[in-house]
């Protein structure tokens, strides 16, 4: 059994147990001694923003992140304006939920485009508008580099180095990065980039998923349960902590097998795995 | 219709049209004016090494590469010895076929292992034995970095930078790298690494496949036909040529849809795509 102290750093990302409604999740967290959750915009919107904010507040839960804004690579002016407006709404929602961190997934190449660098340039432009807006609302934007296998269709920012090149144009309290083990574990430059981010106070969230193979079709829902794959979680925890990060550690799994299971059991097991593979010394 | 001059640089990797037997491939190349092929060990072995060598020689075909050696990450001493012996055989086969280039895919993490760096160290150790052997036989080893999505189960060498760190321990006529657009297209460091490789004469082969999504389950057989995806082929051709590479350009596609088609038609279409997307100016 995990103790409350062992779960102090743990945050459960809502997507890991998306089969649970928000009230079910809040209730289950209470019973397991879990004090932190990462939320997603869609389930929050369908439950109602104000109602969601009240629910987590009443349950004594801290909202560690809101996922997610971004998708800022469109070239079409109308699409671009719509994306910026949607990201301002995401900042408002984060503020209403009481979280200080909005995770950004940058977006992929627009149809027919082949220029990753130009797409990254459009993200930089968009941040020029969004970063001050976020700062005024007490929300930090966390640029999340996604694994290079998503570079064309989901996120043209593939490495922490690229994410930091974007983030460093703005104050750290406006823009930083999300470090997610699933996306960076393969990258021998990542430890140095984590140090670079930490020194500047730009590690705005630390998320975990394990790397398991074979990858499923579309490679989206193969994020492995902690301990099932090849990632040394303690090593990555050491990297972010050596860089000065002392914040929550969020477990975010997209996994069809876990989603098909009982949400309460998956949550309990995820907490147990977190303690066994991230917290306790071997 | 493509002219013979436009196909001068083109080499067809045997795997692209694996539905063709070696004699069918040689015959089809003759009729289409294709003078170069990249071969694979398994089909060569099943047709017979000496017979294959005679066939390509009689057909006037140049063998640009042999795929592949490698898989050098085992920790078990017996597995390790077997891998080294198999790689020496691969060098012998390359020499017998008259090609100067053996492509190496490094291998993934052994079962239960989580240490990419240690696995790369074992590759370096193995190369210390294999590189002189290859050099003595007039064969250059081409370390191929594979896309990071293969880092755990197929190839712990994920970037050109890592491949060059390994290659540069040896003379360029013994060890260099394979530049494959499918594996490096996402990497903003790749152009600089191509320059680093070219200056030292270490670009031992240049291979093409396009990046298309969604990726199939297992992510192995999704290498897209040239022009179907997001990779700017002319840009990558410019990168390698600016680095001094003037050798063959090999198209290597693993693609279930292409394999299900008529091999002669796929070969003709691949040559046409090569000319349209790699050779002709827009």
């Amino acid at each position: 059994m995990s103790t409350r102290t062992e779960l102090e750093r743990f945050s459960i990302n809502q997507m890991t147990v998306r089969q649970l409604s928000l009230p079910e999740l809040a209730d289950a967290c209470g019973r397991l001694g879990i004090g932190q959750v990462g939320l997603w915009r869609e389930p929050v919107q369908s439950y109602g923003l104000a109602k969601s904010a009240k629910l987590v507040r009443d349950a004594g839960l801290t909202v560690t992140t809101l996922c997610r804004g971004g998708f800022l690579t469109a070239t079409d002016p109308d699409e671009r304006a719509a994306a910026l407006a949607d990201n301002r709404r995401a900042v408002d929602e984060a503020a209403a939920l009481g979280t200080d961190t909005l995770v950004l997934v940058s977006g992929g190449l627009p149809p027919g485009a082949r220029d990753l660098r130009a797409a990254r340039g459009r993200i930089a432009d968009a941040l020029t508008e969004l970063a001050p807006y976020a700062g005024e609302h007490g929300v930090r934007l966390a640029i999340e580099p996604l694994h290079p296998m998503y570079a064309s269709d989901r996120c043209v920012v593939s490495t922490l180095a690229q994410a930091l090149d974007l983030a460093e144009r703005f104050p750290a309290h406006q823009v930083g990065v999300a470090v997610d083990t699933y996306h960076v574990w393969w990258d021998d430059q990542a430890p140095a980039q984590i140090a670079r981010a930490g020194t500047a106070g730009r590690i705005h969230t630390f998320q975990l998923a394990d790397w398991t193979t074979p990858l499923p079709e579309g490679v989206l829902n193969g994020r492995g349960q902690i301990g099932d794959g090849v990632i040394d979680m303690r090593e990555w925890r050491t990297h972010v902590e050596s860089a000065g990060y002392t914040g929550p550690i969020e477990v975010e799994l997209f996994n069809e097998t876990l989603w098909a299971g009982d949400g309460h059991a998956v949550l309990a097991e995820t907490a147990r795995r977190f303690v066994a593979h991230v917290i306790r010394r071997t």
Side-chain angles (χ1 to χ4, degrees), chain A residues 9-14 16 36-40 63-67 99 101 103 179-181 204-209 223 226 245 247-253 274:
Chain A
R9 306 280 303 279
F10 180 64
S11 173
I12 184 71
N13 185 283
Q14 176 171 29
T16 306
Q36 306 182 105
V37 293
L39 298 181
W40 278 66
V63 181
T64 51
T65 62
L66 180 65
C67 298
T99 180
T101 303
V103 176
V179 177
D180 183 315
T181 55
H204 289 350
T205 177
F206 177 43
Q207 298 181 322
L208 308 183
R223 290 172 65 95
I226 309 305
Y245 183 79
I249 305 175
E250 206 173 297
V251 177
E252 183 188 50
L253 310 176
F274 174 82

Side-chain angles (χ1 to χ4, degrees), chain A residues 70-73 104-109 115-124 127 142-167 175-178 183-184 186-187:
Chain A
F71 297 93
L72 297 167
T73 52
L104 298 190
V105 170
S106 298
L109 290 169
D115 191 338
L116 291 170
R117 180 192 297 262
R120 287 186 206 115
R122 291 193 295 279
I123 297 164
L127 288 173
I143 303 173
E144 181 167 23
L146 258 54
H147 192 285
M149 68 187 177
Y150 302 112
S152 71
D153 59 355
R154 191 161 294 270
C155 186
V156 297
V157 176
S158 302
T159 61
L160 279 170
Q162 291 169 349
L164 283 164
D165 287 348
L166 286 166
V175 187
V177 298
H183 297 307
V184 307
W186 60 272
D187 182 5

Side-chain angles (χ1 to χ4, degrees), chain A residues 35-50:
Chain A
Q36 306 182 105
V37 293
L39 298 181
W40 278 66
R41 294 181 69 196
E42 295 74 7
V44 162
Q45 287 166 0
S46 51
Y47 189 72
L49 177 62

Side-chain angles (χ1 to χ4, degrees), chain A residues 22-38:
Chain A
L22 202 48
E24 285 170 339
L25 176 62
D27 181 60
C29 284
R31 279 183 289 109
L32 289 165
I34 297 166
Q36 306 182 105
V37 293

Side-chain angles (χ1 to χ4, degrees), chain A residues 62-279:
Chain A
T62 300
V63 181
T64 51
T65 62
L66 180 65
C67 298
R68 61 197 182 181
F71 297 93
L72 297 167
T73 52
T75 43
D76 176 82
D78 291 344
E79 278 182 51
R80 196 160 172 72
L84 286 169
D86 186 57
N87 275 274
R88 281 188 289 267
R89 277 194 300 276
V91 168
D92 299 342
E93 291 164 15
L97 291 166
T99 180
D100 61 1
T101 303
L102 175 66
V103 176
L104 298 190
V105 170
S106 298
L109 290 169
R114 288 183 162 129
D115 191 338
L116 291 170
R117 180 192 297 262
R120 287 186 206 115
R122 291 193 295 279
I123 297 164
D125 292 344
L127 288 173
T128 305
E129 298 193 32
L130 294 174
Y133 185 85
E136 286 159 21
H137 290 75
V139 174
R140 309 175 304 177
L141 305 175
I143 303 173
E144 181 167 23
L146 258 54
H147 192 285
M149 68 187 177
Y150 302 112
S152 71
D153 59 355
R154 191 161 294 270
C155 186
V156 297
V157 176
S158 302
T159 61
L160 279 170
Q162 291 169 349
L164 283 164
D165 287 348
L166 286 166
E168 286 172 356
R169 298 158 173 247
F170 308 94
H173 75 276
Q174 291 179 0
V175 187
V177 298
V179 177
D180 183 315
T181 55
Y182 190 78
H183 297 307
V184 307
W185 78 278
W186 60 272
D187 182 5
D188 59 2
Q189 306 299 307
Q193 296 300 320
I194 286 173
R196 171 184 168 194
T199 306
R202 289 187 195 270
I203 302 176
H204 289 350
T205 177
F206 177 43
Q207 298 181 322
L208 308 183
D210 213 336
W211 183 267
T212 55
T213 55
L215 295 167
E217 186 184 354
V219 300
L220 200 54
N221 300 327
R223 290 172 65 95
Q225 177 62 279
I226 309 305
D228 280 355
V230 297
I231 302 178
D232 185 332
M233 295 294 166
R234 283 187 192 84
E235 184 190 322
W236 290 98
R237 183 186 161 197
T238 301
H239 288 315
V240 298
E241 293 185 352
S242 302
Y245 183 79
T246 55
I249 305 175
E250 206 173 297
V251 177
E252 183 188 50
L253 310 176
F254 309 163
N255 186 306
E256 299 286 355
T257 309
L258 295 180
W259 288 336
D262 172 72
H264 293 88
V266 171
L267 181 56
E269 177 66 10
T270 303
R272 197 187 70 70
R273 295 292 189 101
F274 174 82
V275 171
H277 294 275
V278 184
I279 298 301

